[in-house]
């Protein structure tokens, strides 16, 4: 089988490799390769799948790099299309893996928890959000049968190093600074290459933006899922604050983990801020009468009609609806109706 590699030279010792994500409309993760004086460093690694691994290896080979030569792996966030192959890279090379502490906690929790704990939590949470019995029943059945299909990320690699936000990473010959940008995940980081743009584009260096800032997609913002955490987190508020931070940074070019490289980050930030403000306004209008998070998700605008949204994606959609509700509550524009079960929210 001939392996087709898709490698892009971004100049200045930076390359991108398109690593496929199986059965996913995103298509691929852009794994970036950064030359350093200690050897090549990967920013993200791609999905844990044999074809994805073969593509990553072939891409490195096209750059004259053996996997064994990789010096380190810097992970923007813990999701399996970014962190999936990290363990395999480390096994083949002895490379270190670095991640923000908040996402390392997620990895540790996921590895240590029994799948039944997650199923119980999800079933209770969805029922409280107003999900119909026919949606919750399969979770209870899976719990009672003891069968759990293999989910990505259940055995994700534990990082060796922490990424301290605001600090330069210890990469000889390069200036790569971590910027903590929570929202998509609690420990998402963007990585700012504080070096002159190789094509002298105006702006402040280059930004590896992970999923935080993408040219044509608004990343999923759901609740930070932790069965033991009872705090009322505000992931959407975190995301919007993080967006503004990146807008002020004004990098010359953004190298995201999906789609393609782009310029004018401040303009894209303004688009996303406006998008979320418009969406919050629309959801506030839907709260004229009390509504559950599930019913709100059913009425929200997605990339396809609700009836066509797959089972697992509905769980993600409800989480996104709840994140927006949390934001409206924090802004004083909505409130939970006291005593409602399942919980309903109304506009204020």
């Amino acid at each position: 089988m001939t392996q087709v590699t898709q490698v892009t030279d971004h100049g200045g010792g930076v390359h991108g490799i398109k690593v496929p994500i199986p059965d996913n409309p995103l298509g691929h993760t852009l794994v970036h390769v950064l030359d350093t004086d200690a050897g090549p460093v990967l920013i993200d690694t791609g999905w844990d799948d044999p074809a994805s691994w073969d593509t990553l290896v072939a891409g490195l080979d096209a750059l004259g790099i053996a996997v064994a030569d990789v010096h380190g792996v810097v992970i923007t966030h813990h999701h399996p299309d970014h962190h999936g192959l990290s363990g395999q890279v480390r096994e083949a090379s002895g490379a270190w893996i670095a991640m923000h502490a908040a996402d390392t906690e997620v990895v540790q929790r996921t590895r240590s928890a029994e799948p039944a704990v997650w199923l119980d939590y999800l079933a209770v949470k969805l029922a409280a959000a107003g999900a119909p019995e026919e949606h919750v029943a399969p979770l209870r059945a899976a719990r009672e049968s003891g069968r759990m299909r293999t989910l990505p990320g259940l055995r994700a690699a534990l990082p060796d190093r922490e990424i301290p936000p605001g600090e330069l990473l210890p990469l000889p010959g390069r200036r790569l600074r971590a910027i903590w940008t929570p929202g998509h995940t609690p420990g998402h980081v963007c990585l700012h290459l504080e070096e002159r743009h190789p094509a002298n584009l105006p702006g402040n260096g280059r930004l590896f933006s992970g999923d935080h800032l993408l040219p044509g997609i608004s990343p999923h913002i759901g609740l930070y899922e932790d069965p033991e955490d009872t705090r009322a987190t505000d992931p959407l508020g975190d995301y919007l604050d993080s967006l503004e931070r990146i807008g002020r940074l004004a990098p010359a070019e953004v190298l995201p983990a999906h789609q393609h490289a782009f310029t004018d980050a401040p303009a894209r930030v303004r688009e996303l801020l406006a998008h979320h403000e418009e969406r919050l306004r629309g959801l506030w209008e839907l709260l004229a009468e009390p509504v559950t998070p599930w019913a709100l998700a059913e009425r929200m605008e997605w990339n396809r009609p609700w009836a066509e949204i797959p089972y697992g994606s509905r769980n993600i959609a409800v989480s996104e609806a709840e994140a927006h509700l949390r934001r409206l509550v924090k802004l004083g524009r909505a409130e939970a109706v006291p005593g409602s079960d399942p919980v309903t929210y109304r506009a204020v």
Side-chain angles (χ1 to χ4, degrees), residues 25 28 33 49 101 106 124 146 193 224 264 267 271 304 309 329 341:
H28 56 264
V33 185
D49 178 81
V106 177
V124 170
L193 193 58
Y224 301 148
D264 203 350
E271 286 178 3
R304 66 190 104 174
I309 295 178
V329 169
D341 183 19

Side-chain angles (χ1 to χ4, degrees), residues 65-223:
I65 299 169
V67 179
D69 299 332
V70 174
H71 172 62
V73 175
V74 182
I75 298 299
T76 61
H77 63 295
H78 72 84
H79 286 164
D81 54 325
H82 298 258
H83 182 43
L85 287 171
S86 302
Q88 201 165 339
V89 170
R90 180 168 62 190
E91 287 173 17
S93 63
W96 46 261
I97 301 171
M99 184 183 287
H100 186 281
D103 270 20
T104 297
E105 282 183 23
V106 177
V107 173
Q108 290 171 330
R109 186 169 67 243
T110 305
R111 286 174 59 98
S112 62
E114 290 295 322
V117 172
W118 174 250
L119 289 169
D120 285 342
Y121 167 72
L122 196 55
V124 170
K125 189 170 177 301
L126 285 165
E133 176 58 29
E134 61 265 25
H135 187 88
V136 180
L139 296 169
R140 295 199 182 104
R143 168 73 171 89
E144 289 166 11
S145 69
R147 285 183 284 108
M148 178 73 173
R149 66 187 181 88
T150 303
L151 292 173
L154 289 180
R155 300 297 300 169
L158 283 170
D160 313 283
R161 298 185 180 184
E162 185 176 322
I163 297 177
E167 295 188 14
L168 288 171
L169 276 70
L171 304 180
R174 308 307 298 244
R175 288 185 59 84
L176 188 69
R177 190 178 303 276
I179 304 172
W180 184 31
T181 50
H184 183 58
T185 71
H188 191 292
V189 293
C190 292
L191 300 153
H192 185 210
L193 193 58
E194 298 180 340
E195 301 170 10
R196 182 187 294 273
H197 191 281
N200 289 319
L201 295 181
N204 299 315
R206 290 183 280 181
L207 186 77
F208 300 100
S209 65
D211 280 1
H212 182 69
L213 189 63
L214 302 170
I217 300 171
S218 177
H220 165 67
I221 309 296
L223 298 187

